[in-house]
Amino acid sequence: MAASSMKDIKLRIKSVESTMQITKAMELVASSKLRHAKMRAEATRPYFTTLHDCLTDIAYGNTDFSSPYVQKREVKKACYIVVAGDRGLAGGYNNNVFKELAQQIEGKNVCTLPIGKKAVEYCQRSGLEILTEEYSVAENVSLGDCFAISRMLCKQYCKGEFDELYVVYTNFVSMLSQQPGTLKMLPIRYEREQAKNAAESLTIYEPSTEAVYDAIVPEYVGGLLWGAMAESVASEQGARRTAMDAASKNASEMIEDLSLRYNRARQGAITQEITEIVAGAEA
C-alpha cells in the first residue's frame, strides 16, 4: 500500500515538474516580447500627440471651422473597437477588457469591430453585431491595417451608420499593472466658444481648412488605434509574464509539499520493514 502511494506521489512530482518547465519557458518568452512591446508603445505616443496638436491648431485657429468629425449629433448607434488577445494564460487580461466593454455598452445600440481571437469569440457569444472578423489574429495586425480600419470606420461615420466611435483596450501602466479603459475617438471634442476666443491662425490651408482637417482625421484615428494596439500587446505580455511567474512559484511550492509527503511515506515504509524483520527474528 505504501509502495503504491509512493509511486503515485513520484508520478505527481514528475508531472508538476514538467508543468513548471512549460510555465518557466512561457515566462521567459513573455519577458522577451514585453521589452519589444514596451519600446513600441513608447515610440508610438509622439506620433498621435503631434497629429492631435495639428488638428487642434487647425480647428481653433479658424473661427468659421466646420467638419463632420466634430459635429455633435443624436447618438442612435455607437461603434466599439475591442482589442483583446489571441490566447489565454494571461491572468485576467482578456476578462478585464470584456468587463469594461460590457459596462460601456449596457443599454446601448452598438456594433463592434473585434481585434484578437478572444475578442471575436466574446462578441459572437454575446450576440453583438460584428462589422468584420478580418482582424481576428491580433499578432498579425500591422500599422497599415490600423489605417485601413480607420479609413473604413471614418467613411461609415460620415455616412451616419453610427454616431460615436470608441476603442476598448488595456493601458500599460507598468510590468505589474495593466488598466483596461475606453477611449472616445469620434466625434473629436471641439468647443466653439473656445475657438472664438482663440487667436486666428496665420496659416493658410489649401484647398480649405475643412478639407485638410478631414484628410488628417483618419490618420489621427489610425494613430490612436495603433497606439491602443501597442499598449494592449505590452499589457498582454506583462499579464502573461506575471501569471506564468505565479504559476511557476505555485508549482515549486507543490513540488516541495509532494517531496515532503514522499519522504514521509518512504520513512513509514522503511520503519514497517524494520518492524517486520525484527518481529520475524524474534519468532
Side-chain angles (χ1 to χ4, degrees):
M1 191 74 178
S4 176
S5 177
M6 287 169 61
K7 186 178 180 181
D8 291 341
I9 293 173
K10 205 166 186 178
L11 289 172
R12 186 79 187 277
I13 289 173
K14 285 184 178 180
S15 175
V16 175
E17 284 177 344
S18 299
T19 303
M20 189 169 72
Q21 286 180 347
I22 295 171
T23 57
K24 277 286 186 185
M26 291 185 70
E27 181 188 349
L28 292 173
V29 171
S31 296
S32 176
K33 289 184 177 181
L34 176 60
R35 285 195 295 271
H36 295 291
K38 186 179 177 184
M39 290 172 60
R40 188 176 71 175
E42 291 173 349
T44 59
R45 288 167 186 162
Y47 174 77
F48 59 81
T49 300
T50 303
L51 275 179
H52 180 267
D53 292 341
C54 183
L55 289 172
T56 303
D57 290 342
I58 295 174
Y60 291 108
N62 296 269
T63 54
D64 58 345
F65 175 77
S66 176
S67 169
Y69 294 114
V70 300
Q71 291 174 358
K72 294 180 181 179
R73 57 198 191 198
E74 182 184 355
V75 181
K76 298 177 181 177
K77 189 176 186 179
C79 178
Y80 284 82
I81 304 172
V82 189
V83 184
D86 297 321
R87 58 185 69 88
L89 298 176
Y93 169 75
N94 291 313
N95 286 333
N96 290 337
V97 172
F98 300 147
K99 286 179 183 177
E100 174 71 16
L101 175 64
Q103 184 179 351
Q104 292 292 329
I105 67 174
E106 186 176 1
K108 294 182 180 179
N109 180 25
V110 300
C111 59
T112 60
L113 194 156
I115 298 177
K117 185 178 178 181
K118 295 295 181 182
V120 173
E121 292 174 355
Y122 176 82
C123 292
Q124 289 174 342
R125 285 197 310 269
S126 303
L128 298 172
E129 180 186 345
I130 300 175
L131 295 179
T132 177
E133 296 181 11
E134 185 179 348
Y135 307 99
S136 59
V137 182
E139 287 184 354
N140 296 339
V141 177
S142 64
L143 179 60
D145 290 329
C146 289
F147 286 128
I149 293 171
S150 170
R151 286 190 288 269
M152 176 188 73
L153 293 178
C154 285
K155 189 178 293 185
Q156 292 182 359
Y157 177 81
C158 290
K159 288 181 180 178
E161 294 185 18
F162 53 85
D163 305 296
E164 287 181 331
L165 177 62
Y166 297 88
V167 58
V168 181
Y169 70 108
T170 307
N171 187 39
F172 181 78
V173 180
S174 68
M175 294 180 70
L176 299 175
S177 177
Q178 300 84 35
Q179 184 67 41
T182 303
L183 176 65
K184 186 176 183 179
M185 305 171 88
L186 292 176
I188 297 172
R189 184 178 177 183
Y190 176 69
E191 302 294 340
R192 194 165 296 278
E193 292 301 321
Q194 185 177 339
K196 289 179 180 178
N197 296 331
E200 187 172 352
S201 174
L202 297 177
T203 307
I204 298 175
Y205 298 95
E206 293 292 345
S208 67
T209 302
E210 289 78 7
V212 174
Y213 189 89
D214 293 347
I216 294 177
V217 167
E219 302 296 315
Y220 170 66
V221 173
L224 283 178
L225 179 56
W226 177 245
M229 283 291 302
E231 294 278 347
S232 293
V233 170
S235 297
E236 181 183 5
Q237 299 304 331
R240 181 167 289 114
R241 178 189 174 279
T242 302
M244 291 301 101
D245 180 53
S248 298
K249 289 178 180 177
N250 290 338
S252 179
E253 291 175 2
M254 192 178 292
I255 290 171
E256 288 180 7
D257 181 58
L258 289 170
S259 297
L260 183 61
R261 287 168 57 187
Y262 176 81
N263 291 333
R264 284 176 179 171
R266 184 167 174 269
Q267 186 180 17
I270 293 171
T271 303
Q272 185 178 355
E273 288 179 10
I274 292 173
T275 303
E276 289 174 355
I277 292 170
V278 171
E282 288 178 353

